[in-house]
Amino acid sequence: MNLNRPKTIYQGWDIDRLKGLFARENWIGLNLDQRKDLLQEYANIRTEKMGMDFYPSLHLDEMDEGVGGSYLNGEIHMNIKEVENDFRSTLTITGQMENNEIKHSNFEAFETICHEHQHAYQDFVMRNKIDTDGQFLEDMSVNDGIAMAKDYPYRISSLYILAEANPLVYRLQPCENDAYVKSEMETGRLIEEFEDRIDLQSPANRESIESYKKIRSINGQEVIRNRASLIYGVENPSQVIKESLEFIRAGNVNKIPDSPLERDVLDSSLKTLELSNRNENKLEDNIEVNKDIKWGLSL
């Protein structure tokens, strides 16, 4: 864990001036090192605002297409392509590759740093057993590590669901639901500030804002929650997923109500552990490694 504040070229900047660099016309003028420093400085400010006892350090790595970032043991990792590139190659219906400008890439980067930093805050709360509101610590504990149960094949089950195991369950499990909701809210507040700032009313900035809003109207957390409600026929899928994971955590798999969503949570739990152990001959051989799976979180 990094106890010292990571140095950046933006340290000491006024917060409004710093946030203004995320506006489209300013973001496209920054090189990769400047963007990295900007994201790190915002993470530093968030760390201090939330009273955390360590500073998550930012690292830019090569990651799979579509992966924004991850958090693990005090380090935030972001996809270097997502931070560096404002254009993305796509295949046309004629089979030709063309570069299309991602007009909201500035907001994608901002949302990702907020998302992964929220996982760092969850880590801080869990490590220090801080009960912020009587509920947050309990919710985050649901996704912590692995569980031992009597019921085969769920005897050894992951309490953190990977996106590869089930995208909907992944998005709506407690720690990810919290990170998605908080990062989207923070990005929304940033956009509201930009819309009120006279100095940020250029066509490029306005177009960037509209592009981000359009994307979130398709895959925002509320949209995902409504989609899961429709598919599974439940009013609050996040609560059902949480309760199912709590049963697994307590080793009471046989007490989970037998509905499509509960079954998918169980199957996703097992599949996640199998995915994380796919290079092992036996699940039991790698139990100690997987106790930290909760803190290997991905966007």
Side-chain angles (χ1 to χ4, degrees):
M1 293 294 181
N2 188 7
L3 303 180
N4 298 317
R5 194 182 202 277
K7 294 181 179 179
T8 75
I9 61 175
Y10 301 109
Q11 187 166 339
W13 275 40
D14 173 78
I15 186 61
D16 289 334
R17 183 186 178 200
L18 185 79
K19 286 181 177 180
L21 292 179
F22 284 103
R24 186 65 180 175
E25 64 181 1
N26 296 326
W27 175 261
I28 59 177
L30 302 179
N31 61 35
L32 181 60
D33 289 337
Q34 291 169 329
R35 292 181 179 187
K36 181 177 183 292
D37 266 20
L38 175 60
L39 293 164
Q40 177 69 73
E41 185 60 30
Y42 193 77
N44 292 346
I45 292 171
R46 211 171 186 269
T47 295
E48 292 158 356
K49 182 179 180 180
M50 300 174 107
M52 295 166 58
D53 60 3
F54 68 95
Y55 285 91
S57 56
L58 175 61
H59 306 267
L60 302 183
D61 304 315
E62 294 286 344
M63 296 182 177
D64 291 340
E65 185 76 25
V67 177
S70 65
Y71 170 78
L72 179 64
N73 295 331
E75 294 184 353
I76 292 173
H77 295 262
M78 288 181 63
N79 191 335
I80 189 170
K81 294 189 291 291
E82 300 290 325
V83 176
E84 184 177 27
N85 298 335
D86 297 308
F87 292 83
R88 197 165 297 163
S89 296
T90 55
L91 187 65
T92 67
I93 58 175
T94 61
Q96 301 295 317
M97 295 298 294
E98 64 178 25
N99 283 332
N100 293 307
E101 183 180 2
I102 309 302
K103 297 177 181 178
H104 57 275
S105 59
N106 46 320
F107 293 124
E108 280 190 348
F110 180 84
E111 186 176 300
T112 298
I113 194 66
C114 292
H115 181 109
E116 301 306 338
H117 191 276
Q118 187 66 22
H119 284 317
Y121 177 69
Q122 295 168 1
D123 189 0
F124 164 70
V125 167
M126 286 289 294
R127 290 176 187 274
N128 294 281
K129 304 301 178 186
I130 299 172
D131 195 2
T132 57
D133 60 4
Q135 189 64 45
F136 189 74
L137 177 60
E138 177 186 331
D139 288 350
M140 295 307 104
S141 298
V142 171
N143 284 123
D144 189 20
I146 65 169
M148 302 293 290
K150 298 177 182 178
D151 306 73
Y152 184 83
Y154 306 104
R155 186 165 62 83
I156 306 174
S157 299
S158 173
L159 294 171
Y160 174 75
I161 309 301
L162 292 175
E164 298 93 323
N166 188 308
L168 281 178
V169 175
Y170 157 77
R171 284 284 295 261
L172 295 174
Q173 63 188 316
C175 63
E176 289 298 339
N177 187 56
D178 173 66
Y180 274 102
V181 168
K182 298 288 175 55
S183 60
E184 287 181 15
M185 287 177 59
E186 198 155 341
T187 308
R189 288 194 296 268
L190 180 71
I191 286 175
E192 288 176 358
E193 292 178 22
F194 285 1
E195 289 175 328
D196 289 338
R197 285 179 57 169
I198 297 176
D199 61 321
L200 298 178
Q201 298 303 311
S202 71
N205 290 340
R206 291 196 297 271
E207 197 171 16
S208 176
I209 289 172
E210 291 308 311
S211 178
Y212 173 82
K213 288 181 176 180
K214 181 178 179 180
I215 290 296
R216 283 298 160 265
S217 71
I218 298 171
N219 65 5
Q221 195 66 358
E222 184 176 357
V223 176
I224 296 298
R225 192 160 43 246
N226 291 339
R227 187 179 304 160
S229 293
L230 184 63
I231 291 173
Y232 291 108
V234 296
E235 184 176 349
N236 190 344
S238 299
Q239 183 65 25
V240 174
I241 291 169
K242 175 191 170 185
E243 291 172 355
S244 298
L245 289 170
E246 285 175 334
F247 277 118
I248 297 173
R249 189 165 182 257
N252 297 323
V253 176
N254 61 332
K255 294 184 179 180
I256 298 178
D258 189 22
S259 74
L261 181 51
E262 280 95 353
R263 286 197 300 272
D264 275 0
V265 174
L266 276 171
D267 291 340
S268 301
S269 174
L270 182 62
K271 186 175 181 180
T272 289
L273 199 57
E274 291 174 343
L275 286 168
S276 65
N277 288 278
R278 56 182 172 264
N279 294 323
E280 299 292 330
N281 292 324
K282 295 181 180 179
L283 295 178
E284 290 90 340
D285 292 342
N286 206 25
I287 290 175
E288 291 301 319
V289 173
N290 282 283
K291 283 183 178 177
D292 288 330
I293 193 172
K294 195 273 181 195
W295 303 123
L297 306 172
S298 300
L299 174 62

